[in-house]
Amino acid sequence: MIAKLQCVVLDCADVVELTRFYESLLGGVVNQPDPRWSLDEDWATLHTDGLVLASQRVEDHQPPRWPDPARPQQFHLDLGVPELNRAQEKVLDLGASLLDEGDGKRSWRVFADPAGHPFCLVQD
């Protein structure tokens, strides 16, 4: 092993909005003091159980357009949920957008967070 994953970073236009979205979705502590990162208007963190998810402001952020290869998803999260329909309702209420509901037979659906990053809810 050469390295250990410290955090996952998502580019966005508004670090507060994106961090609060994921806090509502995953729980955790927003901007917990951590000597590894400086917190400011361009950087926010969410410490969850065993993972740090960071939001980084990027000038003129262009969100991905799934499944457009001209602006690919670049990165996505698979998030396990106990009940897919209920989880979908909750993430849409939080500001997510449904990108692909599927055919009703598969165990996952594709959404975008408020900054346009795709993520999947997967039935546990």
Side-chain angles (χ1 to χ4, degrees):
M1 180 173 90
I2 294 173
K4 179 171 71 171
L5 180 65
Q6 286 190 343
C7 83
V8 174
V9 182
L10 297 173
D11 290 349
C12 63
D14 185 333
V15 300
V16 173
E17 175 188 44
L18 192 59
T19 302
R20 293 291 178 202
F21 171 81
Y22 280 107
E23 176 194 28
S24 297
L25 181 59
L26 302 171
V29 179
V30 172
N31 290 338
Q32 174 178 307
D34 189 317
R36 297 174 290 181
W37 302 288
S38 296
L39 303 170
D40 58 29
E41 65 275 358
D42 293 329
W43 182 270
T45 60
L46 177 65
H47 285 71
T48 67
D49 253 354
L51 176 69
V52 177
L53 183 63
S55 300
Q56 175 177 269
R57 190 178 79 74
V58 173
E59 192 80 24
D60 299 322
H61 177 255
Q62 295 294 312
R65 283 191 304 225
W66 187 89
D68 182 354
R71 285 186 29 206
Q73 63 184 341
Q74 303 162 15
F75 174 85
H76 78 273
L77 301 171
D78 283 351
L79 306 171
V81 297
E83 207 284 302
L84 197 51
N85 290 328
R86 181 79 176 121
Q88 175 174 319
E89 180 181 312
K90 288 180 179 181
V91 299
L92 293 175
D93 286 346
L94 291 174
S97 303
L98 179 62
L99 297 178
D100 184 354
E101 193 167 20
D103 58 9
K105 297 176 185 175
R106 68 181 195 208
S107 63
W108 52 276
R109 296 180 190 149
V110 183
F111 299 84
D113 67 24
H117 302 106
F119 67 94
C120 296
L121 294 181
V122 182
Q123 180 84 37
D124 280 337

